[in-house]
Amino acid sequence: MGSKFIALAAGGSIYILIVIAGLGLQSRIGNMVGTLQCDLATLFRNPPEGSMQHLVETKIAPMIAQMKVKYPLYIATIFSSAILRDLGLSRELACDDLDRSDYFFDAVILNSFTIVPRNKSIWAACYTQSTGQKIPTTLHLLNHMELYTPSNWTASRSYTSPLTDIDEEMYDDTSISRGSSPLLSLTGKDRDRWTIQERKYAEKAIAVCSMDDLQEKLTNIYKHGIKCTEKEYIHIPMSALNDKDLNIRSCDDRLLVFISTSMPAEFRDSLTDIFETCFDQSFCLVERDTWKDETHNHPAFQSMYWSWYNRHGTRGDDAPSDVQPCLLERQDCMHTNHSQIMPYVSREMHGHEETYHHFMKVFQNVFEWIRTMIETCLPEEYSVLSQVARMLPGNAYSPVHPFTSLVININAQTQGHRDTGDQEFCLVMPVGTYTGGGLALVEPGLILDLRPGDFAIFRSCDVTHFNMNYRGKRASLVLHTDKEMNAWLERRNNWDHNLTLQSYTN
């Protein structure tokens, strides 16, 4: 979260943070999604002609100029001497020196490009030298009532510190192989018909009763890691795992599927209730009987995409290395998409920001438990996934780490498909009160009868999968990472040669 405030200070100086604190906007800023803080910093420093330039030139810059005189601040009262020493800056560096202040904040690595140079003409009010001796103000001693205007206005909220936010095992291994997708040539109704027929094959699967029984059945239907009968499935009820976790590997020792049944009762028992509190009537669980639905038109289900994307990103091939990317225009098109130079968040994260933050807050402990489980049980896969999650622009943190995206499918029964846009794996966890709805993995021939709170991690980009029929109320949480994020991880969308890029090494 601190990186968001650093970016805004880079744009509007440290004094903009005092304004934010005085207006009680800490939570609003802290809850910004994507790289909005970097965009705002650019708008502060060099706003485009029009209303934004007028606002900065006639309101914001003069206000900052007045604050500089009234509250002389020194950078050493805010940041450690070691940081200043590393940057070759004096402890006596005054925050009203915008050039040196910009130099300081530009040195902070935000996994993005440095903010554009400040337009000194627009910020002319702040470059006027003040007269008289400056008596330093200690930031944390500023009286919060002084941060309000007009001076005779009585604040309705209680005091908070100016820069403080208001809101405050066991597992088995079995090896089998993957196959080619049976759906490569099917679309639309043909795919629906294929899924209905495949469900009928899957419904004939005999349920295993124990881990030993599962091992025996896998041995029977696989020879040298190859599935003998294409239409044969093994049904795995979670009760057969006896609260153990199951790790099934392919012949080349790559993860095929990992199943966890060990979610603590304090999380599992309240999962559906807290899920339903997060959404209004436009996006809620309803009773369904998909056995009946299947005989009619297959009804659509609703989805919410809270995702980081890097698809269709603006690449830096052949771009000059000494110019800010946001100042460049492509010669071969009418418009340059500057918003996709770096990875970006989905529209639904912006459009449902309040719901997003509420959901992530109430599910925080669940997602942290899942993260710990993956790190403990699948350390190699965790390492691969977390590389991207650690390199999000603006030092953003993914609440579903080591994944970067969350999709919520509500009242869902998916048809046969592969998620070819996923980076290798996805995690599926159902919630609700239902019977049926198992996750069918076609090539391995497995039916995972997941209960609310159980989760499965599998190679969603390689394995064809769909849901079995169900009765009741059912939704699924799908954690995944866009595979195009690798282009940002490896070469920062081919902008790695740009001198204004400030990013950690992989």
Side-chain angles (χ1 to χ4, degrees):
M1 181 182 293
S3 295
K4 297 176 183 178
F5 293 95
I6 288 289
L8 292 181
S13 82
I14 199 72
Y15 291 97
I16 206 69
L17 301 188
I18 300 175
V19 175
I20 290 170
L23 296 175
L25 296 176
Q26 302 98 305
S27 291
R28 292 287 298 275
I29 299 300
N31 286 339
M32 289 192 305
V33 295
T35 57
L36 181 57
Q37 68 275 10
C38 298
D39 298 334
L40 288 174
T42 296
L43 287 176
F44 279 139
R45 281 199 183 180
N46 190 18
E49 292 184 7
S51 58
M52 187 64 192
Q53 179 175 317
H54 180 76
L55 175 65
V56 173
E57 188 170 15
T58 64
K59 302 293 184 182
I60 295 177
M63 174 186 65
I64 299 296
Q66 291 181 30
M67 294 180 70
K68 286 167 46 181
V69 174
K70 189 171 184 180
Y71 309 115
L73 295 173
Y74 287 84
I75 206 80
T77 67
I78 307 169
F79 298 97
S80 72
S81 299
I83 293 176
L84 298 177
R85 187 167 53 250
D86 289 344
L87 295 174
L89 296 174
S90 167
R91 284 180 51 84
E92 283 68 47
L93 171 61
C95 293
D96 65 357
D97 185 338
L98 285 191
D99 288 338
R100 301 185 77 190
S101 173
D102 289 350
Y103 172 78
F104 173 80
F105 287 112
D106 285 347
V108 179
I109 296 177
L110 297 176
N111 270 323
S112 60
F113 301 91
T114 55
I115 312 303
V116 297
R118 191 177 301 279
N119 188 321
K120 293 187 177 182
S121 174
I122 294 173
W123 284 84
C126 291
Y127 285 93
T128 302
Q129 293 293 327
S130 58
T131 59
Q133 185 178 5
K134 299 177 183 178
I135 302 176
T137 301
T138 303
L139 183 63
H140 71 276
L141 294 181
L142 279 176
N143 187 308
H144 86 296
M145 289 301 296
E146 294 185 53
L147 304 179
Y148 288 87
T149 55
S151 58
N152 62 352
W153 180 43
T154 301
S156 60
R157 67 179 179 89
S158 59
Y159 169 74
T160 58
S161 176
L163 295 183
T164 301
D165 198 1
I166 295 175
D167 293 334
E168 306 306 339
E169 93 211 321
M170 297 171 64
Y171 46 97
D172 277 3
D173 285 275
T174 305
S175 294
I176 58 180
S177 68
R178 300 171 292 119
S180 59
S181 173
L183 295 176
L184 290 178
S185 60
L186 299 181
T187 58
K189 292 184 178 180
D190 289 336
R191 180 169 296 209
D192 291 345
R193 282 192 287 268
W194 179 92
T195 304
I196 291 172
Q197 182 59 55
E198 200 67 20
R199 283 199 187 103
K200 292 178 180 178
Y201 295 133
E203 286 170 355
K204 298 176 183 178
I206 299 175
V208 300
C209 59
S210 66
M211 296 287 278
D212 290 339
D213 188 23
L214 171 60
Q215 186 72 53
E216 181 180 350
K217 284 184 168 55
L218 286 173
T219 302
N220 290 338
I221 72 168
Y222 283 89
K223 300 300 180 184
H224 307 294
I226 305 298
K227 189 177 174 184
C228 299
T229 306
E230 185 177 328
K231 303 304 180 184
E232 191 166 0
Y233 284 86
I234 298 174
H235 178 202
I236 307 177
M238 297 300 102
S239 58
L241 303 186
N242 292 326
D243 295 325
K244 293 182 179 180
D245 299 320
L246 178 66
N247 190 344
I248 301 179
R249 320 291 294 191
S250 61
C251 288
D252 54 6
D253 200 38
R254 296 202 308 164
L255 175 68
L256 187 63
V257 61
F258 174 82
I259 306 169
S260 173
T261 65
S262 53
M263 177 176 283
E266 62 264 30
F267 296 159
R268 187 190 296 270
D269 293 346
S270 61
L271 204 60
T272 300
D273 289 338
I274 64 173
F275 178 88
E276 292 194 284
T277 66
C278 294
F279 304 103
D280 59 25
Q281 293 300 311
S282 65
F283 192 80
C284 63
L285 288 170
V286 297
E287 291 281 347
R288 281 191 63 186
D289 184 342
T290 63
W291 275 279
K292 293 180 180 178
D293 294 339
E294 197 170 53
T295 61
H296 303 86
N297 291 328
H298 188 78
F301 57 85
Q302 292 176 280
S303 297
M304 185 79 73
Y305 292 84
W306 289 330
S307 305
W308 278 90
Y309 293 126
N310 198 39
R311 303 168 190 174
H312 316 299
T314 304
R315 301 299 194 250
D317 303 286
D318 302 322
S321 62
D322 57 348
V323 181
Q324 291 271 0
C326 64
L327 301 178
L328 295 171
E329 296 289 340
R330 295 180 64 94
Q331 294 181 341
D332 56 351
C333 63
M334 296 292 292
H335 173 70
T336 302
N337 193 345
H338 294 108
S339 66
Q340 293 180 194
I341 289 173
M342 299 186 294
Y344 54 96
V345 298
S346 61
R347 291 182 180 179
E348 286 171 306
M349 280 180 71
H350 289 296
H352 300 87
E353 191 173 309
E354 184 176 343
T355 302
Y356 166 78
H357 286 295
H358 176 65
F359 188 92
M360 293 304 182
K361 185 174 183 178
V362 298
F363 272 83
Q364 179 179 358
N365 291 336
V366 172
F367 290 140
E368 177 58 24
W369 176 82
I370 289 174
R371 186 200 65 77
T372 302
M373 283 292 296
I374 300 172
E375 185 177 24
T376 302
C377 299
L378 302 172
E380 292 184 11
E381 289 78 10
Y382 179 89
S383 177
V384 170
L385 290 168
S386 63
Q387 287 182 55
V388 171
R390 289 197 305 265
M391 298 298 291
L392 293 176
N395 292 338
Y397 178 76
S398 170
V400 292
H401 191 99
F403 299 94
T404 61
S405 301
L406 169 65
V407 178
I408 301 173
N409 296 321
I410 198 163
N411 309 313
Q413 183 194 33
T414 58
Q415 302 295 77
H417 68 287
R418 287 182 176 182
D419 296 296
T420 56
D422 285 356
Q423 184 196 16
E424 298 199 54
F425 314 103
C426 82
L427 180 151
V428 175
M429 182 179 73
V431 298
T433 52
Y434 57 87
T435 57
L439 175 63
L441 306 181
V442 176
E443 290 79 14
L446 302 176
I447 310 296
L448 312 181
D449 210 1
L450 300 172
R451 304 163 301 186
D454 296 331
F455 70 79
I457 299 176
F458 65 100
R459 292 188 177 275
S460 48
C461 61
D462 293 334
V463 175
T464 309
H465 52 285
F466 59 86
N467 288 117
M468 302 296 287
N469 287 309
Y470 76 92
R471 291 187 182 92
K473 297 181 178 181
R474 187 181 184 280
S476 61
L477 309 185
V478 181
L479 283 59
H480 72 103
T481 296
D482 176 13
K483 71 177 182 181
E484 294 298 327
M485 294 290 284
N486 282 329
W488 175 254
L489 176 67
E490 293 167 3
R491 288 198 55 202
R492 304 299 184 268
N493 290 348
N494 295 354
W495 291 99
D496 53 347
H497 65 288
N498 192 280
L499 300 178
T500 67
L501 176 68
Q502 287 193 308
S503 185
Y504 298 103
T505 56
N506 296 345

